[in-house]
């Protein structure tokens, strides 16, 4: 409890105290109020220090300016270091901002505008700070300003942070705008919230036209489904995915884009936006397609070249085998023809000396003679197949030459030959002996086939063999059309196979020899057949072809 005692003493004439009277009053509440005021002022001062905020009171009539201790600290001064005045305050304001402050104060006093301003101050040591000031003016009844109170807050750190933020944003904006990639952001519903320059240029629209519109507009349903599937797979731990899309551009060309999608999550873990960075990969896709096509072409060429090399190697091996077989055949034929000549001579002698009225003896001699002829034919076929000597082509009137060859042939009974020559006066170069061999082989094969059909069943009149010449597709053809039984399907695939034969005699070198002869002439042989409806064989020559194996 606090009390205050007051008293007055009474003295006599010589100065001796006589009495003292007074009073005692309870000042406990006053002391408590003073303590509370001191606590409040201390708390306010501490709050101002923490907030770096001070208050001021300017008596406009007297010019007195009172600052709180924190204002002195903000201005780099010791508290109550000097008697603050408006002029002293102006001296602390940065020279470049001083006029701005004066104008703001004048407008607050004269025009009653709110006083709120940011400006720079200069501390005694030369340091610059930025402060925010706010104030209110009190006017008398006549409108004369009496007092202005307000606050000063040091906002240097905040202003510098704002400047750095603006600079950072400007740098970021410049980087984003200068990127050749398209950059955009959109909400989960597709609404765009940001686009950069490259994105605008690609779409031919301004940012204002694109922002707020749907990024999903115009997407194909299948692409949109793929995109939502990608989004569904993103997580806070793995928020990035890639998405490729193709579409037809304004000029009709296919355009390819690759987008990197990033999910941006809010504090609750929900997706707030998707950021998309897209780049044009059309040229890359075209290059990949070109590379694939080139690889396919190279592979095809390699395969073709490999096939050619294998064929060449096979041809070399074939030529080597033929050469070896030719030497062997020449030796064997020489050794066989001598005893065959003896057999033929002996048969002739027997025919002359024996009694040929005996049917059995006649048949035996005929079998011997036919066997000798057949052996000669086999030897001749082997020699033809292994013959690799050079051709000796001569320009020849084909129709005339062919007619002469056919006249020399003996037709079996029941077979009629028809000629249909359509190349009068046409001259073709070929080796007479070799081409003659090919013609005779085909002719005899046709006759034997039709003759075998007649012998295997009842005779049905004559069988026709038609031989024609014609020019077709830039080549000259000699065509043989028979009315035989045709070639069975299982046999047709092997007709050019050496030593393959369905006959009970011969070595199966007829068509292989024909094929070899025609290829040496730069031509070929084609066989068309239908089982039960005969066979057509075409021997064709290219009048402009360089003949293979021409003798030097």
């Amino acid at each position: 409890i606090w009390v205050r005692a007051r008293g007055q003493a009474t003295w006599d004439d010589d100065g001796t105290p006589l009495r003292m009277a007074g009073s005692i009053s309870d000042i406990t509440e006053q002391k408590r109020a003073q303590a509370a005021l001191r606590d409040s002022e201390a708390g306010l001062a501490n709050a101002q220090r923490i907030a770096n905020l001070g208050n001021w009171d300017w008596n406009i009539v007297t010019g007195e300016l009172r600052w709180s201790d924190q204002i002195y600290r903000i201005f780099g001064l010791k508290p109550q270091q000097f008697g603050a005045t408006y002029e002293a305050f102006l001296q602390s304001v940065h020279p470049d901002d001083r006029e701005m402050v004066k104008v703001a104060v004048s407008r607050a006093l004269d025009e009653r505008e709110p006083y709120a301003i940011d400006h720079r101050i200069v501390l005694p040591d030369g340091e610059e700070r930025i402060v925010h000031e706010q104030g209110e003016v009190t006017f008398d009844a006549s409108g004369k300003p009496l007092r202005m109170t307000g606050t000063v807050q040091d906002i240097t750190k905040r202003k510098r942070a704002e400047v750095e933020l603006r600079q950072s944003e400007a740098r970021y904006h410049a980087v984003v705008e200068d990127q050749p990639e398209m950059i955009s952001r959109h909400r989960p519903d597709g609404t765009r919230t940001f686009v950069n320059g490259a994105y605008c240029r690609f779409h031919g629209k301004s940012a204002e036209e694109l922002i707020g519109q749907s990024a999903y507009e115009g997407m194909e349903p299948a692409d949109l489904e793929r995109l939502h599937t990608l989004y569904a797979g993103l997580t806070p731990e793995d928020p990035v995915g890639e998405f490729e899309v193709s579409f037809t551009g304004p000029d009709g060309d296919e355009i390819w884009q690759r987008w990197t999608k990033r999910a941006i999550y809010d504090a609750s873990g929900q997706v707030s936006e998707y950021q998309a960075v897209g780049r044009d990969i059309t040229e890359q896709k075209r290059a990949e397609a070109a590379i694939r096509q080139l690889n396919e072409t190279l592979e095809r060429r390699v395969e073709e070249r490999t096939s050619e090399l294998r064929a060449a190697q096979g041809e070399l091996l074939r030529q080597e085998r033929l050469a070896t077989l030719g030497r062997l055949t020449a030796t064997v034929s020489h050794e066989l023809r001598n005893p065959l000549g003896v057999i033929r001579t002996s048969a002739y002698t027997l025919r002359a000396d024996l009694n040929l009225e005996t049917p059995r003896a006649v048949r035996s001699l005929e079998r011997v003679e036919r066997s000798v002829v057949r052996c000669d034919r086999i030897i001749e076929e082997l020699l033809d197949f292994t013959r690799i000597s050079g051709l000796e082509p001569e320009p020849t009137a084909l129709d005339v030459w062919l007619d002469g060859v056919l006249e020399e042939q003996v037709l079996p009974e029941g077979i009629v030959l028809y000629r249909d020559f359509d190349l009068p006066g046409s001259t073709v170069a070929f080796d007479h002996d070799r081409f003659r061999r090919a013609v005779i082989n085909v002719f005899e094969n046709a006759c034997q086939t039709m003759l075998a059909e007649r012998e295997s069943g009842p005779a049905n009149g004559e069988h026709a063999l038609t031989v024609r010449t014609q020019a077709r597709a830039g080549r000259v053809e000699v065509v043989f059309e028979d009315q035989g039984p045709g070639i069975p399907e299982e046999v047709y695939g092997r007709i050019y196979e050496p030593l393959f034969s369905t006959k009970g005699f011969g070595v199966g070198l007829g068509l292989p020899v024909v094929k070899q002869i025609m290829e040496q002439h730069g031509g070929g042989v084609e066989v068309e057949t239908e089982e039960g409806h005969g066979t057509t064989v075409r021997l064709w020559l290219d009048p402009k072809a360089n003949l293979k194996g021409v003798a030097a």
Side-chain angles (χ1 to χ4, degrees), residues 265-283:
Y265 296 87
D266 58 21
S268 64
Q270 299 299 313
V271 176
S272 60
E273 280 188 321
Y274 291 104
Q275 177 174 287
V277 178
R279 57 193 63 84
D280 189 329
I281 59 171
T282 304
E283 292 303 320

Side-chain angles (χ1 to χ4, degrees), residues 203-223:
H203 288 276
K205 295 182 179 181
S206 65
E208 291 74 16
E209 293 175 299
L210 293 168
I211 292 175
Q213 302 300 313
S214 175
Y216 302 150
E217 183 179 356
M219 288 188 68
E220 294 293 333
D223 292 334

Side-chain angles (χ1 to χ4, degrees), residues 64-75:
E64 180 185 6
L65 179 62
R66 289 189 297 109
W67 284 354
S68 66
D69 289 350
Q70 188 59 31
I71 293 182
Y72 281 96
R73 296 188 188 98
I74 291 173
F75 279 72

Side-chain angles (χ1 to χ4, degrees), residues 346-361:
S346 299
Y348 178 79
T349 301
L350 287 173
R351 181 181 288 276
D353 294 343
L354 290 177
N355 182 4
L356 297 183
E357 294 180 359
T358 305
R360 182 176 180 183

Side-chain angles (χ1 to χ4, degrees), residues 6 10 21 55 122 159 186 252 257 283 290 299 373 387 389 394 399 445 480 484 506 525 527 529 545:
R6 293 184 182 213
T10 304
N55 68 295
V122 181
K159 283 293 184 180
H186 61 81
Q257 292 177 346
E283 292 303 320
E299 289 176 1
V373 171
R387 186 179 290 126
S389 59
E394 301 177 36
D399 284 359
N445 276 348
F480 296 82
V525 56
V527 178
T529 186

Side-chain angles (χ1 to χ4, degrees), residues 100-115:
M100 177 181 65
V101 173
K102 289 180 181 180
V103 171
V105 172
S106 297
R107 287 178 177 173
L109 297 177
D110 300 337
E111 302 175 17
R112 299 194 178 192
E113 289 187 5
Y115 179 72

